[in-house]
Amino acid sequence: MKIFLLGATGQTGSIFMKMALERNHKVTAYVRSPVKVLLHNENLNIVKGDVFSLADMSKAMASHDVVVSCLGRNNNDKETVITKMTEIIIK
């Protein structure tokens, strides 16, 4: 299965990514900071991107079987940030 993963550098996302790769799934981690992805695997594709860019994310998301969102928020985020990101994801 080809998985498009959002939030791969967070606690939940990194656990999910590790589990998916252990099961030989192909994972595309769409992240702001590729250097924060600590796993290396032949089935892992790391794409630097902005979740607020509908065009960029749509292009990167094409041809995947499933989208998994492990997006979270930090103490600096407002509640509307998650809402806006979710709206972009489902478009």
Side-chain angles (χ1 to χ4, degrees):
M1 179 177 289
K2 291 177 69 177
I3 301 169
F4 186 82
L5 177 61
L6 299 162
T9 59
Q11 185 175 5
T12 303
S14 60
I15 292 168
F16 177 89
M17 181 170 52
K18 182 177 184 283
M19 292 174 67
L21 292 169
E22 286 172 351
R23 289 162 178 77
N24 293 315
H25 294 294
K26 296 185 184 306
V27 177
T28 297
Y30 190 78
V31 297
R32 283 182 297 192
S33 303
V35 296
K36 291 184 178 180
V37 179
L38 304 177
L39 287 175
H40 301 282
N41 185 295
E42 64 184 30
N43 286 331
L44 176 60
N45 179 33
I46 301 168
V47 176
K48 180 178 179 173
D50 178 1
V51 294
F52 293 113
S53 172
L54 178 58
D56 291 347
M57 192 163 55
S58 293
K59 182 179 175 184
M61 195 183 295
S63 78
H64 287 81
D65 299 312
V66 65
V67 175
V68 175
S69 175
C70 295
L71 293 172
R73 65 184 199 115
N74 61 37
N75 293 332
N76 298 322
D77 290 335
K78 301 198 181 337
E79 267 183 56
T80 56
V81 172
I82 295 295
T83 302
K84 184 174 180 180
M85 285 190 271
T86 302
E87 289 172 352
I88 291 169
I89 292 165
I90 61 174
K91 288 183 181 181

